[in-house]
Amino acid sequence: MVAITINISEHQLQKLQELAQKLGISTEELLSASVEDLLNHPKSDFTEAANYVMQKNAELYRRLG
């Protein structure tokens, strides 16, 4: 198993924790299931949104890299 670290806002974390609690699972389990679902059932809307974000922030990512 590999660990990955991402930065999210406090608001996003709170929403994830609330959803996980409603589902009766840990936040980590929720995120893992979400990633698994995305990998097994990619949605074109997500792909389009991800591409838009990458293009919009390309200069920022270049400077950070």
Side-chain angles (χ1 to χ4, degrees), residues 43-57:
K43 296 169 179 67
S44 63
D45 290 345
F46 175 81
T47 302
E48 290 173 17
N51 286 335
Y52 171 77
V53 169
M54 292 300 290
Q55 288 175 350
K56 179 181 174 199
N57 295 315

Side-chain angles (χ1 to χ4, degrees), residues 2-54:
V2 176
I4 187 169
T5 302
I6 62 168
N7 296 317
I8 62 172
S9 70
E10 289 292 327
H11 180 71
Q12 290 171 320
L13 176 60
Q14 181 180 3
K15 288 174 70 174
L16 283 170
Q17 290 171 329
E18 289 171 1
L19 180 56
Q21 184 177 11
K22 286 180 187 177
L23 296 171
I25 59 176
S26 70
T27 305
E28 291 83 0
E29 289 171 315
L30 173 62
L31 291 170
S32 180
S34 298
V35 168
E36 187 69 28
D37 184 52
L38 177 62
L39 293 175
N40 289 326
H41 305 97
K43 296 169 179 67
S44 63
D45 290 345
F46 175 81
T47 302
E48 290 173 17
N51 286 335
Y52 171 77
V53 169
M54 292 300 290

